[in-house]
Amino acid sequence: MRIAIIDESTTRASIIEEGLAQLPDSEIFILTERQGLISRLEAFAPDVVLIDLGNPSRDVLEEYFAVSRVLARPIAMFVDESDDEAIAASIDAGVSAYVVDGLSAHRIRPLLDLAIKRFNAFARLQADLAAAEGKLAERETIDRAKRILMDSKKLSEPEAYAELRRKAMSSNRRIAEIAEAVVTAHDLLGDGT
């Protein structure tokens, strides 16, 4: 596992590194400067990012939230103090674990595991949502194609669906693909409704 530790304080970074010492097969990369952070992280390609900010200003927090939005990786963020606004912003930015006043070596490994599990759970939810939205869009396209066939060929709804299904089977394509072709052709040749 490739782990990036971001901390401007080498002392605090060493606490995180100590907490990861027993982690087998891991490669740890410590970044102590914010300059060019995203490009250096992309070059290292970490599996997980641990960020210790101590007592950050709003600007620093926002800068690190921007990093979180760019990277599709589990991110655990450690801060000394926080407020509701910062916590909400971290959630919106995709931070997997936002830990207030919890930087100690013995807590790092469980927090790393938590960040990974929360990130994976959220990624599964996003994938499920995208799949559901895709199926809904396909269903809407099929319904529109059926309406087009019903209007143009004076078919009933079951007959229009059967027509789409027959064409899909004969061309070895999915019904949604055939429906998309019908809708596209109608939009190009018909009145666009």
Side-chain angles (χ1 to χ4, degrees), residues 2 38-46:
R2 296 168 65 88
I38 293 176
S39 62
R40 289 188 294 159
L41 282 170
E42 287 174 341
F44 179 64

Side-chain angles (χ1 to χ4, degrees), residues 6-133:
I6 302 170
D7 197 330
E8 292 179 2
S9 163
T10 54
T11 304
R12 288 189 320 240
S14 66
I15 293 171
I16 296 174
E17 190 173 21
E18 179 186 332
L20 298 171
Q22 301 303 320
L23 194 63
D25 300 323
S26 64
E27 184 179 352
I28 297 172
F29 185 66
I30 299 175
L31 295 164
T32 56
E33 295 178 16
R34 294 189 337 232
Q35 190 75 9
L37 186 60
I38 293 176
S39 62
R40 289 188 294 159
L41 282 170
E42 287 174 341
F44 179 64
D47 298 306
V48 182
V49 178
L50 304 175
I51 303 172
D52 182 16
L53 298 177
N55 228 349
S57 68
R58 289 271 176 230
D59 291 341
V60 171
L61 266 178
E62 188 51 45
E63 185 178 330
Y64 283 109
F65 291 157
V67 169
S68 177
R69 287 182 198 100
V70 171
L71 296 176
R73 303 279 187 278
I75 295 177
M77 189 172 282
F78 298 88
V79 296
D80 291 340
E81 295 177 13
S82 184
D83 57 42
D84 291 341
E85 187 179 317
I87 292 170
S90 72
I91 291 169
D92 290 344
V95 173
S96 303
Y98 187 84
V99 184
V100 179
D101 195 26
L103 183 62
S104 60
H106 73 280
R107 293 187 68 201
I108 301 301
R109 178 72 188 272
L111 291 169
L112 175 76
D113 292 341
L114 169 70
I116 293 169
K117 287 176 182 170
R118 287 192 67 199
F119 177 83
N120 290 338
F122 188 70
R124 279 191 304 275
L125 286 174
Q126 286 181 312
D128 291 348
L129 177 61
E133 288 172 341

